[in-house]
Short mmCIF file of all heavy atoms in Angstrom, two decimals:
data_model
loop_
_atom_site.label_atom_id
_atom_site.label_comp_id
_atom_site.label_asym_id
_atom_site.label_seq_id
_atom_site.Cartn_x
_atom_site.Cartn_y
_atom_site.Cartn_z
N SER H 30 208.57 5.25 108.15
CA SER H 30 209.24 5.43 106.88
C SER H 30 208.87 4.30 106.01
O SER H 30 208.92 3.12 106.40
CB SER H 30 210.71 5.46 107.18
OG SER H 30 211.33 5.70 105.93
N GLN H 31 208.51 4.55 104.73
CA GLN H 31 208.29 3.56 103.73
C GLN H 31 208.72 4.12 102.36
O GLN H 31 208.29 5.09 101.99
CB GLN H 31 206.64 3.23 103.80
CG GLN H 31 206.17 2.35 102.89
CD GLN H 31 204.72 2.12 102.79
OE1 GLN H 31 203.96 2.87 103.48
NE2 GLN H 31 204.40 1.13 102.18
N ASP H 32 209.52 3.21 101.77
CA ASP H 32 210.04 3.64 100.24
C ASP H 32 210.46 4.96 100.31
O ASP H 32 210.22 5.73 99.40
CB ASP H 32 208.83 3.45 99.38
CG ASP H 32 208.31 1.97 99.26
OD1 ASP H 32 209.17 1.08 99.39
OD2 ASP H 32 207.19 1.77 98.85
N SER H 33 211.34 5.26 101.23
CA SER H 33 212.22 6.61 101.19
C SER H 33 211.19 7.77 101.39
O SER H 33 211.54 8.76 101.16
CB SER H 33 212.87 6.72 99.91
OG SER H 33 213.91 5.86 99.83
N THR H 34 209.94 7.54 101.99
CA THR H 34 209.01 8.63 102.23
C THR H 34 208.59 8.63 103.71
O THR H 34 208.20 7.63 104.18
CB THR H 34 207.89 8.68 101.56
OG1 THR H 34 208.16 8.60 100.01
CG2 THR H 34 206.81 9.78 101.64
N ALA H 35 209.12 9.75 104.39
CA ALA H 35 208.70 9.73 105.83
C ALA H 35 207.27 10.27 106.04
O ALA H 35 207.02 11.37 105.37
CB ALA H 35 209.73 10.70 106.72
N ILE H 36 206.55 9.67 106.86
CA ILE H 36 205.16 10.13 107.12
C ILE H 36 205.15 10.38 108.63
O ILE H 36 205.39 9.57 109.42
CB ILE H 36 204.10 9.02 106.66
CG1 ILE H 36 204.26 8.77 105.19
CG2 ILE H 36 202.72 9.53 107.18
CD1 ILE H 36 203.30 7.66 104.78
N ILE H 37 204.85 11.67 108.92
CA ILE H 37 204.60 12.02 110.39
C ILE H 37 203.14 12.17 110.66
O ILE H 37 202.45 12.95 109.92
CB ILE H 37 205.35 13.33 110.62
CG1 ILE H 37 206.77 13.28 110.33
CG2 ILE H 37 205.09 13.80 111.99
CD1 ILE H 37 207.65 14.33 110.44
N ILE H 38 202.58 11.48 111.59
CA ILE H 38 201.17 11.46 111.88
C ILE H 38 201.09 12.21 113.22
O ILE H 38 201.56 11.86 114.12
CB ILE H 38 200.68 10.09 112.12
CG1 ILE H 38 200.84 9.34 110.73
CG2 ILE H 38 199.20 10.11 112.41
CD1 ILE H 38 200.45 7.82 110.75
N ALA H 39 200.26 13.30 112.98
CA ALA H 39 200.04 14.15 114.26
C ALA H 39 198.59 14.40 114.38
O ALA H 39 198.11 15.52 114.19
CB ALA H 39 200.82 15.44 114.15
N GLY H 40 197.70 13.46 114.79
CA GLY H 40 196.34 13.50 114.94
C GLY H 40 195.65 13.91 113.58
O GLY H 40 195.90 13.38 112.58
N ASP H 41 194.89 14.94 113.65
CA ASP H 41 194.08 15.55 112.54
C ASP H 41 194.94 16.34 111.58
O ASP H 41 194.59 16.52 110.45
CB ASP H 41 192.92 16.27 112.93
CG ASP H 41 191.77 15.26 113.59
OD1 ASP H 41 191.75 14.12 113.19
OD2 ASP H 41 191.00 15.89 114.38
N ASP H 42 196.18 16.77 112.16
CA ASP H 42 197.03 17.55 111.47
C ASP H 42 198.10 16.72 110.73
O ASP H 42 199.38 17.17 110.87
CB ASP H 42 197.53 18.79 112.23
CG ASP H 42 196.54 19.63 112.72
OD1 ASP H 42 195.48 19.89 112.09
OD2 ASP H 42 196.59 20.05 113.95
N ALA H 43 197.89 15.74 110.07
CA ALA H 43 198.88 14.84 109.43
C ALA H 43 199.65 15.64 108.37
O ALA H 43 199.11 16.49 107.63
CB ALA H 43 198.21 13.70 108.79
N GLU H 44 200.96 15.51 108.33
CA GLU H 44 201.92 16.13 107.50
C GLU H 44 202.79 15.11 106.82
O GLU H 44 203.37 14.30 107.28
CB GLU H 44 202.75 17.12 108.25
CG GLU H 44 203.73 17.91 107.39
CD GLU H 44 204.62 18.84 108.19
OE1 GLU H 44 204.46 19.01 109.54
OE2 GLU H 44 205.47 19.47 107.56
N VAL H 45 202.83 15.17 105.50
CA VAL H 45 203.59 14.27 104.74
C VAL H 45 204.94 15.01 104.25
O VAL H 45 204.74 16.04 103.61
CB VAL H 45 202.91 13.75 103.46
CG1 VAL H 45 203.82 12.84 102.67
CG2 VAL H 45 201.66 12.91 104.02
N ILE H 46 206.04 14.44 104.57
CA ILE H 46 207.25 14.96 104.20
C ILE H 46 207.90 14.08 103.28
O ILE H 46 208.25 12.88 103.61
CB ILE H 46 208.17 15.30 105.46
CG1 ILE H 46 207.57 16.21 106.42
CG2 ILE H 46 209.57 15.70 105.03
CD1 ILE H 46 208.20 16.29 107.79
N ASP H 47 208.00 14.55 102.04
CA ASP H 47 208.62 13.74 101.11
C ASP H 47 210.21 13.90 101.03
O ASP H 47 210.62 15.08 100.71
CB ASP H 47 208.08 14.04 99.56
CG ASP H 47 208.67 13.33 98.55
OD1 ASP H 47 209.27 12.30 98.69
OD2 ASP H 47 208.20 13.52 97.33
N ASP H 48 210.99 12.91 101.39
CA ASP H 48 212.45 13.04 101.38
C ASP H 48 213.18 12.35 100.20
O ASP H 48 214.09 11.73 100.39
CB ASP H 48 212.93 12.48 102.71
CG ASP H 48 212.63 11.00 103.00
OD1 ASP H 48 211.97 10.35 102.20
OD2 ASP H 48 213.19 10.53 103.94
N THR H 49 212.41 12.40 99.15
CA THR H 49 212.96 11.66 97.89
C THR H 49 213.57 12.78 97.01
O THR H 49 212.94 13.98 96.96
CB THR H 49 212.08 10.94 97.08
OG1 THR H 49 211.02 11.66 96.74
CG2 THR H 49 211.59 9.73 97.85
N PRO H 50 214.66 12.74 96.30
CA PRO H 50 215.25 13.73 95.65
C PRO H 50 214.42 14.08 94.31
O PRO H 50 213.63 13.20 93.81
CB PRO H 50 216.60 13.28 95.22
CG PRO H 50 216.53 11.88 95.19
CD PRO H 50 215.67 11.43 96.46
#
Side-chain angles (χ1 to χ4, degrees):
S30 181
Q31 179 181 10
D32 295 331
S33 298
T34 301
I36 299 173
I37 298 174
I38 301 173
D41 293 332
D42 298 323
E44 180 181 355
V45 176
I46 299 173
D47 184 6
D48 65 349
T49 58

